[in-house]
Amino acid sequence: MATLYKKTSPSRPKNNNTSWYIIEYYTDHVTDESGNTKSQKKKRYLERLGYMTRTKAKLQLDKYNARNKNKKNGQVRLTLNDAATEFDKHYQNLIGPNITQGTYGLFKYHLERITPVIGHIQLSKLEFENIEALKISLLGKGLSNRSVNMHITELKKILEYSIDRGWIQDYPKIKRLSEAKPDREIEYLTNEEIETLLAKANPAQALYLCLMIFSGMRPNESAKLTWDCVNLEQGYIDVISMNRLKAGRRIPLHSKIKEMLLNSPKDSAYVSPYRTSAYAKKAMERLENITGIKCNPYKLRKTFGSILAQAGVNTMGLATLMGHSKLQTTYQFYARLSDNNLKNDIEKLVLLGK
């Protein structure tokens, strides 16, 4: 049974000079050089409580003993459910200074799908096969690899906390599922579809169509684009990414969008007629209902990249204009669209000495 141990610091005020620890005593058998065995009583520090009154320290001790009531022979016999409950309380206390309410909400969302499958298993007996069974169960519910990995991330938080609390020394190796996206052809608008959409669009929809198709901005980037970032005289747009992982960039103004922007009202600080990507998506859905042509904001962005790829723009230039932080993204989705230009490119080869 754990008990309290105190140390007094003369350098602190008398009303707050006692530091408390939770310890347990154990017997250590030591054999000397003569072969004689001696028993020594030693103390093992379990938790440092810090400076507080004895009353508060006793309360912490009671909580500790309640948490570890199933401890036997130095091993805590808690189930994953028990550990999850304790971590849940700890995580709630972090809301505000360390995590947001949304982060905590995601944890609870994933936890509800973890504990029914493996929550009954004793922490010290958790094995690799149990975690694999959890992944199979989640996949069987139609979840994607990425979603399963998010569940695994929350599980690891509980297990890491269990190690910090001394309930287990380690946990089985956890293998994340591959999140590599299979190569697939992207959808983009043809010239005929673009002409049809512009013919049927109202002025706000037409401005948004041109803004997206001729700049390739992400939907959230176009929604936040202000006139301060548009230089009509020198002909460029400075795109400032809202995501620190995405690259900001300067995009030259196409003559089509430059003409529209010159004639656009400047009664708002923002260029796009739609202040959020959600509003833009709804506006494009209304246009889609009229024309029968799918034209969501991301399809407009992909149309920009697809047209440039088919026109033979090199991958580095295309990646810069699209704001791709990784060239692999450009290769994966757009490089194949320039295959038609390879025949013309190979003809540019000139043999040395000819």
Side-chain angles (χ1 to χ4, degrees), residues 298-312:
Y298 264 103
K299 188 173 182 179
L300 302 181
R301 167 174 161 79
K302 292 172 183 177
T303 297
F304 169 83
S306 302
I307 292 174
L308 291 180
Q310 292 179 82

Side-chain angles (χ1 to χ4, degrees), residues 9 31 42 76 81 96 102 170 201 215 284 318 322:
S9 174
T31 303
K42 294 185 177 181
V76 179
N81 269 335
D170 201 357
S215 72
M284 293 300 100
L318 181 55
M322 294 288 290

Side-chain angles (χ1 to χ4, degrees), residues 278-297:
Y279 289 152
K281 183 178 180 181
K282 290 180 179 179
M284 293 300 100
E285 286 175 351
R286 291 193 291 269
L287 187 58
E288 181 180 338
N289 292 334
I290 297 173
T291 62
I293 301 171
K294 187 177 180 181
C295 55
N296 65 68

Side-chain angles (χ1 to χ4, degrees), residues 196-252:
T196 301
L197 289 168
L198 289 173
K200 298 291 184 180
N202 61 39
Q205 290 170 335
L207 174 59
Y208 187 77
L209 283 168
C210 287
L211 189 63
M212 294 296 291
I213 293 173
F214 292 102
S215 72
M217 285 186 287
R218 298 179 178 89
N220 66 325
E221 291 172 343
S222 65
K224 302 299 181 184
L225 181 68
T226 63
W227 286 104
D228 292 338
C229 296
V230 178
N231 192 319
L232 293 173
E233 291 183 2
Q234 298 184 25
Y236 62 80
I237 296 174
D238 280 330
V239 179
I240 302 173
S241 177
M242 299 296 106
N243 186 334
R244 64 182 180 84
L245 300 179
K246 306 295 183 182
R249 58 206 181 279
R250 174 167 291 185
I251 302 175

